[in-house]
Amino acid sequence: MIHIFCLFVFLLSNTSYVTAIDFCVADLKAAETPLGFPCKSPATVTVNDFVFTKFIEGKPNIFNFSFTSATVNEFPALNGLGLSAARFDIAVGGVVPIHSHADATEVIIMQTGSLTAGFISSTDNKVFVKTLSAGNIMVLPKGLFHFALNAGKEKATANVIFSSVRPSIQLLDLALFGNNFDSALVAKTTFLDPAQVKKLKGVFKGSG
Amino acid sequence: MIHIFCLFVFLLSNTSYVTAIDFCVADLKAAETPLGFPCKSPATVTVNDFVFTKFIEGKPNIFNFSFTSATVNEFPALNGLGLSAARFDIAVGGVVPIHSHADATEVIIMQTGSLTAGFISSTDNKVFVKTLSAGNIMVLPKGLFHFALNAGKEKATANVIFSSVRPSIQLLDLALFGNNFDSALVAKTTFLDPAQVKKLKGVFKGSG
Amino acid sequence: MIHIFCLFVFLLSNTSYVTAIDFCVADLKAAETPLGFPCKSPATVTVNDFVFTKFIEGKPNIFNFSFTSATVNEFPALNGLGLSAARFDIAVGGVVPIHSHADATEVIIMQTGSLTAGFISSTDNKVFVKTLSAGNIMVLPKGLFHFALNAGKEKATANVIFSSVRPSIQLLDLALFGNNFDSALVAKTTFLDPAQVKKLKGVFKGSG
Amino acid sequence: MIHIFCLFVFLLSNTSYVTAIDFCVADLKAAETPLGFPCKSPATVTVNDFVFTKFIEGKPNIFNFSFTSATVNEFPALNGLGLSAARFDIAVGGVVPIHSHADATEVIIMQTGSLTAGFISSTDNKVFVKTLSAGNIMVLPKGLFHFALNAGKEKATANVIFSSVRPSIQLLDLALFGNNFDSALVAKTTFLDPAQVKKLKGVFKGSG
Amino acid sequence: MIHIFCLFVFLLSNTSYVTAIDFCVADLKAAETPLGFPCKSPATVTVNDFVFTKFIEGKPNIFNFSFTSATVNEFPALNGLGLSAARFDIAVGGVVPIHSHADATEVIIMQTGSLTAGFISSTDNKVFVKTLSAGNIMVLPKGLFHFALNAGKEKATANVIFSSVRPSIQLLDLALFGNNFDSALVAKTTFLDPAQVKKLKGVFKGSG
Amino acid sequence: MIHIFCLFVFLLSNTSYVTAIDFCVADLKAAETPLGFPCKSPATVTVNDFVFTKFIEGKPNIFNFSFTSATVNEFPALNGLGLSAARFDIAVGGVVPIHSHADATEVIIMQTGSLTAGFISSTDNKVFVKTLSAGNIMVLPKGLFHFALNAGKEKATANVIFSSVRPSIQLLDLALFGNNFDSALVAKTTFLDPAQVKKLKGVFKGSG
């Protein structure tokens, strides 16, 4: 009986039964396609490819917040799998400025402290704001402006997850003021006062 | 011989050969699903469902621009087909303010006149601006801030197309100032001066 | 000038600019489609639809582990968005038995304590096992057998996320022994001893 | 010990672990969406929903061929699953006329006899023709004209499969001649002689 | 205060915030995948990649029609974005012969003049024909035979858009007569008279 | 007139009309992407790429069953097309042990003999079992455990098709016992008796 099974195993392991794809760890050095990176050779993949070990608090910036990303760039095992994660640690008074992620929904999973988070719908510009604490999850639908700030009395920590292996992040201030976007054009297309544009161009090191 | 063919036709027309779906004209009164509207009964569909006849210049607003949309809302035949269109007529000096479309790429097909159009990438806040005239097509990748203005000497007309049957449109000024978004929160999350926020809240009829 | 902008806002708010979809909160009482539930009427949606407030430790079972799910069933705002979450609290010695999720990748985000987690690839039956602690994320690719156990010295807490709004969960023991699956058929198709099958049928309250 | 497991099973069966979707058998009476039919209530689904029992030779037409379809229309369990099947029995001399399936690849799995099958590429109008016999599979890429005929000496039987739950089928002759398509328009847009159009309009019972 | 912001910008520009993908301009020299071309290096992308400048009337052929395509082949910025465009200029009496696009819906946006356009459904061979003029848009659902002709009194110009970055185009006459498709096989699978096949083989330079 | 058509053909064959993609035969030597292999150069593709000629009974193993796969690995023309096939020949008493395919639905098309096939739902562990004979098709929804055995009196032959170009196959016994999966861990996570685990480790040549 045992002998029979051995043959069975032998047969199986020499057929196409054992060639199907389970994962596609990114080969970050190869050229991307619209749907992700080519796969690293499966023969070189080990369990360590599937574990990201630095999902820890980052170095706080002078605003007392830090973030750590685990997107396909830092964690190639996510390639083709459609989700990624980040960790935020926001000190009292810290602000994550208004930004949006094209084509990625974000879900905030609060760990400690509290955050006031919100998004603005595009259909009627309705503002959805809520103060979150541990035990709360909030959905920020894809593509909409959103923000968060720590209006509480202790540091806030949250895990956030995205429905994309690498969400784009367009930060309002950097898009308008942190580049060489012509100041007159900024003013015309935003209706901000030229003086305001000039001031923030200074703050965000933009030119133009 | 002819007799034989008639039978053949008869057989075919009584089988599942003739039941497959070619289109799914939206029943706009039914509840939407994440992937579109339920289909209107095929028996009631005529050629007129496939033709939208009002793709014409709209009434100019006081800024001397107008637009006409042909999304699934106005043109239900687009349901499930993944694209839609709009027409813009922009007078000299007209501005289409900064906005973004979550998950829809836009393509501008210039007809007459000229437009200065641009978008800002999220990866490095690089500004891509170009002045377009008849014979030019420009791609505005999905989810990114973009704008257009007529800096020319005559009216500009363009067809724009979207990779979505009904793109969401998030207009920066309306999202920040055209609603009850708390002014202090706007200032904190955008770094705009409170006075600037207050002024534009007034302009865009916002409160808060 | 202000007067002009008001008209502008008025014009915008009466056009298709403001009809596009930002989200599709599930109407759980309507019949599902292969791609999700029909949407709840947007007019009835509030910020509370986007916040799930019970993402807390569940009642420990006698194995000293608990879990709390936030799938589309408990959190309808996830409808159509392609991801969901759960929280696990596993006491020392606790085991999450071997199971798989068809078409959903799982990512474990460790919070406290440690877990030994693993999955088995289908291509060559290779076992990928790792002991995780706070700061570690592990990817369990879609569709593969996986498990976790707390071999540490304190309670382990983890958030897990899924690339599906409601992952199916097929637990090996319940699929084989927790139903009326004919025992002889189980033995024949698994090569387990009939006595073993009978014993576990008893444990998992199965019949047949 | 057994007592413990029973509690475990009890706990599991009262949670969202057991609510995920495994299948979505079509409710053919409900309105379709672009991605398929709403699901029949899972409570009413039995094993018989998953078995189609009439995948047998159909009644031969006077051309001595028959076909039997198992698409979502006849076999609602296919809803949302992306594939369907049909059986062809073609007598000596039988012809499956030129047709195409929008957005469905077809794969012919020969059972008995032989068939000469072919398709025409769109890129350079290259003709790919092959005579197939038992043990052969042929791929007919989606959307391209293809045909088959039995040039052998015995009946040919084949299973065909489609990458769609219900492929559309556009048959050249019926599209041109089996309807009220204006004959002058047919001639102009096909470059066929008016006399040829008229003749085939007669054969295929068309008018106009 | 300004100093603080500068640090903020610095921090952001050294993180994965700035690595996400906004676009994937095709590297046409690399091997395609089923979902598109690998991306050109983002560092080499400029605004000119996003602007196609030759969307102008082509050289009229002796039928007095011309067309100009902007697919991913001519306009690599469309890679991965799911849509493309073309311009048609059709003189009085010009005909765009019957053809189909596998898996691409076409939308005609009339500019000047008039066109009689139509498609044939596959489910019941119903003909949908309409004469279009400026201000009309018509949807031609994916995969179906369609055609257009200028039955008006002036040149007709239209922009057409496709729900594919590069629609395949299968033209009936070229598929049947513009290649080495065996004439006897053509006759058998289309029911055209052999003389008709022979004549059109001559016209379209086919052989066989 | 003929002269005119020739020019027409000439014009068409020098335009982008003839560049669209009809198929993407896999270049199996190139690195895979999450969505498939890069395409083989179209210039080297012939009709033989579209025909798989070895879809025949395999060599029976000592259990008297054989199988032959036609996945993208053996039949590169399937690349990007979303389906594949296999042939099973199962002698009296033969068993296809419990296994699952992540993200691939399987459809069994019975040819000769009879098979008892079944699957287990994940939502309530319900067992769906049916004895199939020629003329029956059975759907095994993606990701669920399933099995088949020949309880009849003659050899059974079936074609099976998958909604994937290369389904992964996770066989319960090989995943648990046919590798170096630590025996204590197997016992803990499956609740099988250690002696049972040890015995099957021996049978399936596992270690640990």
Side-chain angles (χ1 to χ4, degrees):
Chain A
M1 174 73 171
I2 287 178
H3 181 66
I4 288 174
F5 276 102
C6 300
L7 286 181
F8 176 60
V9 174
F10 174 78
L11 286 168
L12 282 172
S13 51
N14 285 276
T15 70
S16 63
Y17 256 109
V18 292
T19 58
I21 202 162
D22 292 321
F23 42 75
C24 175
V25 177
D27 174 0
L28 295 178
K29 291 174 187 161
E32 272 186 278
T33 73
L35 268 288
F37 287 93
C39 317
K40 186 176 166 178
S41 166
T44 68
V45 172
T46 73
V47 69
N48 292 328
D49 285 290
F50 296 99
V51 182
F52 178 72
T53 58
K54 298 178 184 169
F55 201 65
I56 55 177
E57 186 170 355
K59 190 179 171 188
N61 57 25
I62 54 173
F63 300 103
N64 294 316
F65 88 81
S66 68
F67 66 93
T68 303
S69 292
T71 72
V72 73
N73 282 19
E74 300 87 23
F75 193 14
L78 294 173
N79 192 40
L81 299 180
L83 75 184
S84 59
R87 171 185 172 147
F88 277 81
D89 293 272
I90 308 177
V92 175
V95 174
V96 180
I98 283 191
H99 63 283
S100 66
H101 311 293
D103 208 5
T105 290
E106 178 176 342
V107 178
I108 301 174
I109 304 176
M110 286 300 299
Q111 302 299 323
T112 60
S114 72
L115 282 177
T116 298
F119 68 89
I120 300 135
S121 79
S122 74
T123 50
D124 53 8
N125 300 299
K126 188 172 173 183
V127 186
F128 295 82
V129 180
K130 193 84 179 183
T131 295
L132 309 171
S133 55
N136 292 172
I137 298 180
M138 185 169 183
V139 169
L140 306 170
K142 65 177 174 184
L144 301 179
F145 284 129
H146 59 278
F147 61 87
L149 68 165
N150 185 348
K153 297 185 176 175
E154 56 173 324
K155 192 182 78 168
T157 299
N159 290 334
V160 299
I161 61 176
F162 299 98
S163 62
S164 160
V165 297
R166 194 182 49 187
S168 74
I169 301 179
Q170 189 155 44
L171 203 74
L172 174 58
D173 287 297
L174 294 178
L176 298 181
F177 312 120
N179 48 24
N180 66 346
F181 193 173
D182 178 76
S183 291
L185 214 43
V186 175
K188 273 189 194 169
T189 61
T190 62
F191 304 104
L192 293 173
D193 291 339
Q196 176 74 89
V197 173
K198 187 178 180 185
K199 179 177 173 187
L200 291 172
K201 280 276 184 184
V203 171
F204 290 99
K205 290 286 194 195
S207 59
Chain B
M1 173 72 172
I2 288 177
H3 181 65
I4 288 174
F5 275 104
C6 299
L7 286 180
F8 175 59
V9 175
F10 174 80
L11 286 168
L12 282 173
S13 52
N14 283 276
T15 70
S16 63
Y17 256 108
V18 292
T19 60
I21 202 164
D22 291 322
F23 41 74
C24 175
V25 177
D27 174 2
L28 294 179
K29 292 174 185 162
E32 272 186 281
T33 72
L35 267 289
F37 287 91
C39 315
K40 186 176 167 179
S41 165
T44 68
V45 172
T46 72
V47 69
N48 292 328
D49 284 290
F50 297 100
V51 181
F52 178 72
T53 58
K54 299 178 181 167
F55 203 65
I56 55 178
E57 185 170 356
K59 190 179 172 189
N61 58 25
I62 52 173
F63 299 104
N64 292 319
F65 88 81
S66 68
F67 65 94
T68 302
S69 292
T71 72
V72 73
N73 282 19
E74 300 87 22
F75 193 14
L78 294 173
N79 192 40
L81 299 180
L83 75 183
S84 59
R87 171 185 170 146
F88 276 81
D89 292 273
I90 308 178
V92 174
V95 173
V96 180
I98 282 191
H99 63 283
S100 65
H101 311 293
D103 208 5
T105 290
E106 178 177 342
V107 178
I108 300 174
I109 304 176
M110 286 301 298
Q111 304 298 324
T112 60
S114 73
L115 282 176
T116 299
F119 68 90
I120 300 134
S121 80
S122 73
T123 50
D124 53 7
N125 300 299
K126 188 173 173 184
V127 186
F128 295 82
V129 181
K130 193 83 179 183
T131 294
L132 308 172
S133 54
N136 291 172
I137 298 181
M138 184 170 183
V139 169
L140 306 170
K142 66 176 173 184
L144 301 180
F145 284 130
H146 59 279
F147 61 88
L149 68 165
N150 185 347
K153 297 186 175 173
E154 55 173 325
K155 192 182 78 166
T157 299
N159 291 334
V160 300
I161 60 175
F162 299 100
S163 63
S164 161
V165 297
R166 194 181 51 188
S168 74
I169 301 180
Q170 188 154 45
L171 202 74
L172 174 58
D173 287 296
L174 294 178
L176 297 181
F177 311 119
N179 49 23
N180 66 346
F181 194 173
D182 178 77
S183 292
L185 213 45
V186 175
K188 272 189 194 168
T189 60
T190 61
F191 304 105
L192 294 173
D193 291 338
Q196 176 75 88
V197 173
K198 186 177 179 185
K199 179 178 174 187
L200 290 173
K201 279 276 182 183
V203 171
F204 289 99
K205 291 286 195 195
S207 59
Chain C
M1 173 72 172
I2 287 178
H3 181 66
I4 288 175
F5 275 103
C6 300
L7 286 181
F8 176 60
V9 175
F10 174 78
L11 286 169
L12 281 173
S13 51
N14 283 275
T15 69
S16 63
Y17 256 107
V18 293
T19 58
I21 201 163
D22 292 321
F23 41 74
C24 176
V25 177
D27 173 2
L28 295 179
K29 292 174 186 163
E32 272 185 279
T33 72
L35 266 290
F37 287 92
C39 316
K40 185 176 167 178
S41 166
T44 68
V45 172
T46 73
V47 69
N48 292 327
D49 284 290
F50 296 99
V51 182
F52 177 72
T53 58
K54 299 178 182 168
F55 202 66
I56 55 178
E57 185 170 356
K59 190 178 172 189
N61 58 25
I62 52 173
F63 298 105
N64 292 318
F65 89 80
S66 68
F67 66 94
T68 302
S69 291
T71 72
V72 74
N73 282 18
E74 300 87 22
F75 193 15
L78 295 173
N79 192 41
L81 299 180
L83 75 183
S84 59
R87 172 184 170 146
F88 277 80
D89 293 272
I90 309 178
V92 174
V95 173
V96 180
I98 282 190
H99 62 283
S100 64
H101 311 293
D103 207 5
T105 290
E106 178 176 342
V107 177
I108 300 174
I109 304 175
M110 285 302 297
Q111 303 298 324
T112 60
S114 73
L115 282 177
T116 299
F119 68 89
I120 301 133
S121 78
S122 73
T123 49
D124 53 7
N125 301 299
K126 187 173 174 183
V127 185
F128 295 83
V129 181
K130 193 84 178 182
T131 295
L132 309 171
S133 54
N136 291 173
I137 298 180
M138 184 170 183
V139 169
L140 306 170
K142 66 178 173 182
L144 301 180
F145 284 130
H146 59 278
F147 61 87
L149 68 165
N150 185 347
K153 296 185 175 174
E154 55 173 324
K155 191 181 79 167
T157 299
N159 291 335
V160 300
I161 60 176
F162 299 99
S163 62
S164 161
V165 297
R166 194 181 50 188
S168 75
I169 302 179
Q170 188 154 47
L171 202 74
L172 174 59
D173 286 297
L174 293 179
L176 298 181
F177 311 121
N179 49 23
N180 66 346
F181 194 173
D182 179 76
S183 291
L185 214 44
V186 176
K188 272 188 193 168
T189 60
T190 61
F191 304 105
L192 294 173
D193 290 339
Q196 176 75 88
V197 173
K198 186 178 179 184
K199 179 178 174 186
L200 290 173
K201 280 276 183 184
V203 170
F204 289 99
K205 290 287 195 196
S207 59
Chain D
M1 174 71 172
I2 288 178
H3 181 65
I4 288 174
F5 275 103
C6 300
L7 286 180
F8 176 60
V9 174
F10 174 79
L11 285 169
L12 282 173
S13 51
N14 283 277
T15 70
S16 63
Y17 257 107
V18 292
T19 58
I21 202 164
D22 292 321
F23 42 74
C24 175
V25 177
D27 173 1
L28 294 179
K29 292 174 186 162
E32 271 186 280
T33 73
L35 266 290
F37 288 92
C39 316
K40 186 176 168 178
S41 166
T44 67
V45 172
T46 73
V47 69
N48 292 328
D49 284 290
F50 296 99
V51 181
F52 178 72
T53 58
K54 298 178 183 168
F55 202 65
I56 54 178
E57 184 170 357
K59 191 178 171 189
N61 56 26
I62 52 175
F63 299 104
N64 291 318
F65 89 81
S66 68
F67 65 93
T68 301
S69 292
T71 73
V72 73
N73 282 19
E74 300 87 23
F75 193 15
L78 295 173
N79 192 40
L81 299 179
L83 75 183
S84 60
R87 171 184 171 147
F88 276 81
D89 293 273
I90 308 177
V92 175
V95 173
V96 180
I98 282 191
H99 62 283
S100 65
H101 311 291
D103 209 4
T105 291
E106 178 176 342
V107 178
I108 301 173
I109 305 175
M110 287 300 299
Q111 303 298 325
T112 60
S114 72
L115 282 177
T116 299
F119 68 89
I120 300 134
S121 79
S122 73
T123 49
D124 54 6
N125 300 299
K126 188 173 173 184
V127 186
F128 295 82
V129 180
K130 193 83 177 183
T131 295
L132 309 171
S133 55
N136 292 173
I137 298 181
M138 184 169 184
V139 169
L140 305 170
K142 65 177 174 182
L144 302 180
F145 284 130
H146 59 278
F147 61 87
L149 68 165
N150 185 347
K153 297 186 175 174
E154 55 173 325
K155 192 182 77 166
T157 299
N159 291 332
V160 299
I161 60 176
F162 299 99
S163 62
S164 161
V165 298
R166 194 182 50 187
S168 74
I169 302 180
Q170 188 153 46
L171 202 74
L172 174 58
D173 287 297
L174 294 178
L176 298 181
F177 311 120
N179 48 23
N180 66 346
F181 194 173
D182 179 77
S183 291
L185 214 44
V186 176
K188 272 189 193 167
T189 60
T190 61
F191 304 104
L192 294 173
D193 292 337
Q196 176 75 88
V197 173
K198 187 178 179 185
K199 179 178 174 186
L200 290 173
K201 280 275 182 184
V203 171
F204 288 100
K205 291 286 196 196
S207 59
Chain E
M1 174 72 171
I2 287 178
H3 182 66
I4 288 174
F5 275 103
C6 299
L7 285 181
F8 176 60
V9 175
F10 174 78
L11 285 168
L12 283 173
S13 52
N14 284 276
T15 70
S16 62
Y17 257 109
V18 292
T19 58
I21 202 164
D22 292 321
F23 41 74
C24 175
V25 177
D27 174 0
L28 295 178
K29 291 175 187 162
E32 272 186 279
T33 72
L35 268 288
F37 287 91
C39 317
K40 186 175 165 179
S41 166
T44 67
V45 172
T46 73
V47 69
N48 292 328
D49 285 289
F50 296 99
V51 182
F52 177 72
T53 58
K54 299 177 183 168
F55 202 66
I56 54 177
E57 185 169 356
K59 191 179 173 189
N61 58 26
I62 52 172
F63 299 104
N64 293 317
F65 88 81
S66 68
F67 66 94
T68 302
S69 292
T71 72
V72 73
N73 281 19
E74 298 88 21
F75 192 15
L78 295 173
N79 192 39
L81 299 179
L83 74 185
S84 59
R87 171 185 171 145
F88 276 80
D89 293 272
I90 309 178
V92 175
V95 173
V96 180
I98 282 191
H99 62 284
S100 65
H101 311 292
D103 208 5
T105 290
E106 178 177 343
V107 178
I108 300 174
I109 304 176
M110 285 301 298
Q111 303 299 324
T112 60
S114 73
L115 282 177
T116 298
F119 69 89
I120 300 135
S121 79
S122 74
T123 50
D124 53 7
N125 300 300
K126 188 173 172 183
V127 186
F128 295 82
V129 180
K130 193 83 178 181
T131 294
L132 308 171
S133 55
N136 292 173
I137 298 181
M138 184 169 183
V139 169
L140 306 170
K142 66 177 174 182
L144 301 180
F145 284 130
H146 59 278
F147 60 88
L149 68 165
N150 185 347
K153 296 185 176 174
E154 55 174 325
K155 191 182 79 166
T157 299
N159 290 333
V160 300
I161 60 176
F162 299 99
S163 62
S164 161
V165 297
R166 194 181 50 188
S168 75
I169 302 178
Q170 189 154 47
L171 202 74
L172 174 58
D173 287 297
L174 294 179
L176 298 181
F177 311 120
N179 49 23
N180 67 346
F181 194 173
D182 178 78
S183 292
L185 213 45
V186 175
K188 272 189 193 168
T189 61
T190 60
F191 304 105
L192 293 173
D193 291 338
Q196 176 75 88
V197 174
K198 187 177 180 186
K199 179 177 173 187
L200 290 173
K201 280 275 184 184
V203 170
F204 289 99
K205 290 288 196 194
S207 60
Chain F
M1 173 72 172
I2 288 179
H3 181 65
I4 288 175
F5 275 104
C6 300
L7 287 180
F8 176 60
V9 174
F10 174 78
L11 286 167
L12 283 172
S13 50
N14 283 278
T15 71
S16 63
Y17 257 108
V18 293
T19 58
I21 202 163
D22 291 322
F23 41 74
C24 175
V25 177
D27 173 1
L28 295 179
K29 291 174 187 164
E32 271 185 280
T33 74
L35 268 289
F37 287 91
C39 317
K40 185 175 166 178
S41 166
T44 67
V45 172
T46 72
V47 69
N48 292 328
D49 284 290
F50 296 100
V51 182
F52 178 71
T53 58
K54 298 179 183 167
F55 202 65
I56 53 177
E57 185 169 356
K59 190 179 172 188
N61 58 25
I62 52 174
F63 300 102
N64 292 319
F65 88 82
S66 68
F67 66 94
T68 301
S69 292
T71 73
V72 72
N73 282 19
E74 300 88 23
F75 193 14
L78 295 173
N79 192 40
L81 299 180
L83 75 184
S84 60
R87 171 184 171 147
F88 276 82
D89 293 272
I90 308 177
V92 175
V95 173
V96 180
I98 282 190
H99 62 283
S100 65
H101 311 293
D103 208 4
T105 291
E106 178 176 344
V107 177
I108 301 174
I109 304 176
M110 286 300 300
Q111 303 299 324
T112 60
S114 73
L115 282 177
T116 298
F119 69 89
I120 300 135
S121 79
S122 74
T123 50
D124 53 6
N125 300 299
K126 188 173 172 183
V127 185
F128 295 82
V129 180
K130 193 84 177 182
T131 295
L132 309 170
S133 54
N136 292 172
I137 298 180
M138 184 169 184
V139 169
L140 306 170
K142 65 177 173 181
L144 301 180
F145 284 130
H146 58 278
F147 61 86
L149 67 165
N150 185 348
K153 296 185 175 174
E154 55 174 324
K155 192 182 79 168
T157 299
N159 290 335
V160 299
I161 62 176
F162 299 99
S163 61
S164 161
V165 297
R166 193 182 51 188
S168 75
I169 301 179
Q170 188 154 45
L171 202 74
L172 174 59
D173 287 297
L174 293 178
L176 298 180
F177 312 120
N179 49 23
N180 66 346
F181 194 174
D182 177 77
S183 291
L185 213 45
V186 176
K188 272 188 193 169
T189 60
T190 61
F191 304 105
L192 293 173
D193 292 338
Q196 176 75 87
V197 173
K198 186 177 180 186
K199 178 178 173 186
L200 290 173
K201 280 276 184 185
V203 171
F204 288 99
K205 290 288 194 194
S207 60

